[in-house]
Amino acid sequence: MSGTEEFLGWVRSTLYQAELDLHNGDASARRAIWSRNEPVSVLGAFRDAHGQQELDELFAALAESFSDCLSYSFDLQAYDVIGDMAYTAGLEHTSASINGEPRQYVLRATQVYRREDGEWKVAHRHADTVTA
């Protein structure tokens, strides 16, 4: 299996499950796939975070607000793997409750990954709402 195939397998399994869990109110799997090395950052549709403490606070707030995920899918539109670095860009389609209110939305999401000790970890995320 090539490095790209291995990375895409991780995106479609581990990363996907972590996002699904988050949208059901559990941030532990998402936190586990994020780097513990600096720099880490989120430029998010909900709020931004820079550094480990802000990341922990953001993920806890997201988990507290999300519940009852009816569907989550990631439409991967672009990606590349170069050595121990990779990125993905695509559309996240979500139907879940936010603060108890059912919502459906689409986010444009770009993430940057680095391989640390043989495992892929997220180092940066940028997401914004698709409005049209």
Side-chain angles (χ1 to χ4, degrees):
M1 178 182 309
S2 75
T4 299
E5 291 169 336
E6 179 259 331
F7 171 72
L8 290 176
W10 179 84
V11 166
R12 292 179 179 129
S13 60
T14 304
L15 177 65
Y16 173 83
Q17 188 62 53
E19 293 302 305
L20 186 61
D21 289 353
L22 178 69
H23 288 94
N24 276 306
D26 180 1
S28 61
R30 187 190 238 201
R31 188 59 180 110
I33 64 168
W34 270 74
S35 177
R36 293 292 181 167
N37 299 322
E38 297 293 347
V40 290
S41 55
V42 173
L43 301 175
F46 175 65
R47 79 180 197 214
D48 298 346
H50 299 88
Q52 300 298 326
Q53 181 174 340
E54 288 184 14
L55 207 66
D56 288 341
E57 292 167 0
L58 171 61
F59 292 169
L62 287 169
E64 187 175 303
S65 68
F66 284 124
S67 63
D68 304 318
C69 184
L70 299 176
S71 66
Y72 169 80
S73 65
F74 181 53
D75 177 16
L76 182 63
Q77 297 184 334
Y79 64 89
D80 201 2
V81 177
I82 302 168
D84 288 337
M85 297 289 295
Y87 81 92
T88 57
L91 299 173
E92 296 178 341
H93 302 266
T94 306
S95 177
S97 291
I98 301 175
N99 297 319
E101 305 244 349
R103 298 259 322 265
Q104 290 184 356
Y105 58 92
V106 179
L107 298 180
R108 280 184 294 250
T110 301
Q111 295 194 151
V112 177
Y113 312 86
R114 55 183 174 237
R115 194 181 345 244
E116 299 174 356
D117 298 322
E119 295 183 17
W120 287 107
K121 298 291 183 176
V122 184
H124 174 74
R125 173 179 172 82
H126 176 255
D128 62 358
T129 305
V130 175
T131 57

